[in-house]
Amino acid sequence: MRKNYKMLLCYDGSRYYGWEHQPDTDTVQGRLEEAFYAVFGEISEINGAGRTDAGVHARGMTANVWLDTEYPTGRIRRLLNENLPDDIAVLEIKPASDKFHARYSAVGKTYCYTCHYGEYRAVFDRKYVYELDRTPDLDAMRKAAAILTGKHDFASFCRQAAGYPSTVRVVDVISVEQADGYITFTVHGTGFMRNMVRILVGTLLEVGFGKIPVSEVEKILYAKNREAAGYTVPAQGLCLMKVDY
Amino acid sequence: MRKNYKMLLCYDGSRYYGWEHQPDTDTVQGRLEEAFYAVFGEISEINGAGRTDAGVHARGMTANVWLDTEYPTGRIRRLLNENLPDDIAVLEIKPASDKFHARYSAVGKTYCYTCHYGEYRAVFDRKYVYELDRTPDLDAMRKAAAILTGKHDFASFCRQAAGYPSTVRVVDVISVEQADGYITFTVHGTGFMRNMVRILVGTLLEVGFGKIPVSEVEKILYAKNREAAGYTVPAQGLCLMKVDY
């Protein structure tokens, strides 16, 4: 009998064309499907909590899958990990209720975006940070972050806003922390649109570099126009940390 | 007038055939020479504190170089970093006394060797750890480490011992720490022979896995024979942390 399982995954997105399975491209979901096929001999549909873009990483992607197996979960995890490349790992797999769906049951997500700046580049984590050539003004970024936090129409912070029935989202945390040459943006909200976190961070950085005055930030929200916001920072600094249920 | 400079370097050794310049291979020293040539238009001889093997990393390699330049050191560093690949960085460059030689003036070195074990592999730092498939016995490894610490003839812990005038070395620290699925071996000594740290760690792991009893460890020292010691652990877990002067 088929049973529903919830999985916690991590992956280095550097060499993948994102999460979502696509024919003839290397994706995280595609690699997971191959691993499930190798272990169970049948095609399993894997529902991810969201579709991370090409090059985006995850330390806490959640997915669910229906399986007809008597294997204990420890064995499933071990067999899957043996069949996955070394840049994807199943951290946890456990039985879930029939109603659980990784995407539709999700009530919140936390992303981190990591920048590095300094007299020299980050060497060992260079694939997981966005290297800055100057130090942004943290106070200005924090002021802007406070303005953007809340329930807003984030149409300006979205690629292809027209594709969404609504562009209103609740972002309850946008924090900016600095330590040892790293600047980490932590963003938590109920849901995010395409490129939304990367455009939020790009806009904050433009504020931090004095290109956008803090007084203009509210106007970007009102504009409901992608052109009004800052640039889209590169994928490699972004990591999906946690999905809430 | 030529002046002597001391440099602190870090590099991800994954894609290099070690530190030492060799024709037609990609080495860290070779890349540094290219960067110096790009900046100063002449070939500079770079003396490293030691020759890390292929795949070995460094967070604190020290080198010295004689330069005829009026550039302030901040500018030299910036120009070098602009001309280095993103897996090598000059952390620091400063004037040194004429007598300073990175290799001959060195009085000690610290290496770290990092293993990971657990129900799943390390994903983000997979190129900097050695993945174990079992948990070794830490107590046994610590007992063995205590036996190996000190001034000994380390001929058994050396590749091609015959190439050295003496195989006696002082290793004053061999610590074994465990945290969050990682086991870190920290080794400090006055000097190390070829593969010495990797054979020390391989021997400790064989003790930890019960393949070599703690009571046999002293006999390995007496044997003065590479065959008596444990295996050579892979390069990727090894990192040169610091050189003392």
Side-chain angles (χ1 to χ4, degrees), chain B residues 3-78:
Chain B
K3 281 176 290 183
N4 195 13
Y5 290 88
K6 179 182 178 181
M7 285 190 290
L8 189 66
L9 306 162
C10 83
Y11 50 86
D12 175 341
S14 304
R15 70 185 180 106
Y16 297 105
Y17 290 88
W19 165 267
E20 195 181 23
H21 178 98
Q22 294 170 63
D24 302 322
T25 56
D26 202 358
T27 66
V28 179
Q29 194 183 34
R31 290 295 185 132
L32 280 161
E33 285 167 354
E34 283 170 26
F36 273 97
Y37 188 82
V39 175
F40 298 105
E42 58 171 12
I43 291 162
S44 306
E45 193 189 324
I46 299 153
N47 303 306
R51 300 176 198 128
T52 53
D53 283 336
V56 173
H57 316 291
R59 288 179 186 270
M61 171 62 101
T62 305
N64 76 295
V65 61
W66 286 79
L67 297 175
D68 184 0
T69 177
E70 295 304 316
Y71 289 170
T73 50
R75 185 172 180 194
I76 299 175
R77 178 174 65 181
R78 196 176 61 249

Side-chain angles (χ1 to χ4, degrees), chain A residues 7-18:
Chain A
M7 286 190 292
L8 190 67
L9 306 162
C10 85
Y11 50 85
D12 175 343
S14 304
R15 69 184 180 106
Y16 296 105
Y17 289 89

Side-chain angles (χ1 to χ4, degrees), chain A residues 200-217:
Chain A
L200 282 168
V201 172
T203 304
L204 293 178
L205 284 173
E206 289 196 18
V207 170
F209 290 132
K211 216 174 143 189
I212 299 175
V214 174
S215 57
E216 295 292 312
V217 172

